[in-house]
Amino acid sequence: MKQPRRREVIRTGTTVEQMVRSIADMIVTGELLPGAKLDEVSLAARFDVSRTPVREALRELGAMGLIAREPNRSAVVTNVTEAYLHSMFEAMAELEAICARLSAERMTVDERRALELEHRGSVRLVHAGAEEEYSAHNTEFHTRLYRGAHNDHVFEMVTQTRARLAPFRRAQFRLPGRLAKSYEEHGRIVTAIMRADATAAEQAAYSHVEIVSDASAVFATPGE
């Protein structure tokens, strides 16, 4: 069941990225329900910006599958079902598994060391229960994994897919105990990569995304 969140204060000078994140989080956590209209004028007033960045933010939200737009009509929050979310995470799991396998084979010594150090350093965020900071770390951790594959085409595909799932991957960290479990899952990926064990890295990454998928399903709408 979706968990409500406290309404955030939106400040002057909000960027498109900040708007996308804020609106996406409101959709994922249920503050904005399926069918809710997103009027450009109202959003511009709320975020204290012109309608131009609002249109760009709505375009990005549409690309993420969170809203739908028809010509000359307001944007409407879509119904993200468990089945649809699962299909995206299924693709994500395959792509991240590829990245982990290639990283185990291709990462330089410095890249492996940087990945390990960053992972170890994130334990303080787990202990502090710092959800936002850990979410930022999580993005950087996975980006290192993608770049470590040394394949530009795979990098493009995996980052595009991650962008669509970003609100759900952030939301999972609101769930009790999820930070610690994520840290443990990352640890298995790092260990395999440090050992250059491509098969173990691939399996650990795939399993990690499957677990994220299950955790994120709580924020989807039941049904087909």
Side-chain angles (χ1 to χ4, degrees):
M1 183 175 182
K2 292 186 177 181
Q3 303 296 318
R5 66 174 300 187
R6 181 172 55 84
R7 185 179 296 274
E8 296 179 350
V9 176
I10 306 301
R11 303 185 184 281
T12 302
T14 303
T15 66
V16 171
E17 181 181 357
Q18 290 169 330
M19 273 191 288
V20 169
R21 181 182 178 116
S22 180
I23 296 171
D25 286 350
M26 286 190 286
I27 292 172
V28 169
T29 57
E31 186 174 334
L32 289 173
L33 298 174
K37 293 183 178 181
L38 299 176
D39 177 72
E40 289 184 8
V41 175
S42 299
L43 289 173
R46 174 175 181 145
F47 289 97
D48 197 12
V49 295
S50 70
R51 292 176 66 176
T52 299
V54 169
R55 290 192 190 101
E56 175 60 22
L58 292 177
R59 186 193 67 78
E60 293 189 20
L61 289 164
M64 295 164 72
L66 294 177
I67 69 168
R69 297 198 73 179
E70 293 184 9
N72 303 317
R73 292 190 179 184
S74 297
V76 177
V77 176
T78 58
N79 184 25
V80 181
T81 65
E82 290 180 14
Y84 181 68
L85 188 62
H86 174 74
S87 71
M88 287 197 291
F89 269 111
E90 188 174 51
M92 193 79 224
E94 296 288 352
L95 289 168
E96 293 223 13
I98 291 171
C99 288
R101 173 171 55 80
L102 293 178
S103 288
E105 296 171 347
R106 300 177 179 178
M107 266 189 170
T108 65
V109 172
D110 287 343
E111 286 174 331
R112 294 172 201 267
R113 184 179 297 115
L115 182 71
E116 182 182 36
L117 289 175
E118 182 175 19
H119 168 63
R120 288 182 176 179
S122 69
V123 71
R124 63 180 179 79
L125 303 177
V126 177
H127 292 160
E131 296 172 7
E132 287 295 323
E133 291 84 351
Y134 188 86
S135 179
H137 152 74
N138 185 63
T139 298
E140 178 60 26
F141 176 87
H142 285 276
T143 298
R144 287 185 183 277
L145 198 64
Y146 307 159
R147 292 197 181 282
H150 293 279
N151 184 305
D152 292 340
H153 185 60
V154 170
F155 181 82
E156 181 180 358
M157 288 192 297
V158 73
T159 51
Q160 287 176 347
T161 306
R162 178 178 68 178
R164 298 191 67 177
L165 287 167
F168 295 95
R169 296 186 79 153
R170 285 196 302 272
Q172 61 157 326
F173 295 125
R174 300 172 183 273
L175 302 175
R178 184 63 201 134
L179 293 186
K181 291 177 181 177
S182 175
Y183 180 81
E184 293 173 2
E185 292 155 23
H186 284 182
R188 287 191 280 273
I189 297 171
V190 171
T191 297
I193 289 175
M194 295 301 291
R195 294 175 178 173
D197 188 336
T199 299
E202 182 177 48
Q203 293 173 344
Y206 190 93
S207 176
H208 172 53
V209 179
E210 279 194 316
I211 293 170
V212 174
S213 176
D214 290 341
S216 301
V218 68
F219 299 103
T221 303
E224 297 298 327

